[in-house]
Amino acid sequence: QVRLVESGGGLVQAGGSLRLSCAASGTILGLTAMAWYRQVPGEQRDLVARIQNSGMIDYADSVKGRFTMSRDNAKNTAYLEMNSLKPEDTAVYYCKAERYSSYRDYWGQGTQVTVSS
């Protein structure tokens, strides 16, 4: 069975940096992209960044120029480098393995990122 495990979250002051990791175990069939989402309690879970199998990367407008997503296929791990963090970046960050059939997507358990002002 596939598992996605996020790590690297924590408390950081505004302007600081964090690097999130998402380690995948198991065989992911029909993988099309890896993505990072974030969610504030009571609010919608929103896309932060997505890296397609081709290497093309999409970012939410709110993080463009500050966040960088990457993927190490050999290690089966995705990363999110977050720089110039702002208090509004505070959320639970989730790793997602996106598949050809979206109803079969996999999610990690989430990791908390808190940015203090």
Side-chain angles (χ1 to χ4, degrees), residues 5-108:
V5 180
E6 301 99 332
S7 62
L11 176 64
V12 65
Q13 65 181 8
S17 299
L18 285 173
R19 179 178 239 206
L20 305 183
S21 298
C22 172
S25 62
T27 301
I28 303 175
L29 300 178
L31 182 71
T32 60
M34 296 294 295
W36 288 95
Y37 285 72
R38 66 186 181 188
Q39 185 174 29
V40 176
E43 298 185 8
Q44 179 177 307
R45 185 174 298 185
D46 295 323
L47 177 69
V48 176
R50 172 187 289 111
I51 181 167
Q52 300 176 31
N53 289 352
S54 66
M56 296 296 295
I57 306 175
D58 296 317
Y59 295 98
D61 288 341
S62 59
V63 307
K64 285 181 180 177
R66 300 189 298 119
F67 291 10
T68 302
M69 186 175 180
S70 61
R71 176 162 58 164
D72 186 334
N73 292 330
K75 295 182 178 180
N76 206 24
T77 302
Y79 304 93
L80 185 67
E81 179 73 32
M82 304 184 294
N83 300 311
S84 302
L85 283 162
K86 305 174 181 179
E88 51 263 45
D89 295 319
T90 296
V92 177
Y93 284 71
Y94 296 91
C95 180
K96 181 186 180 187
E98 299 185 342
R99 305 171 70 189
Y100 180 79
S101 298
S102 62
Y103 63 92
R104 305 288 283 182
D105 291 350
Y106 296 102
W107 291 90

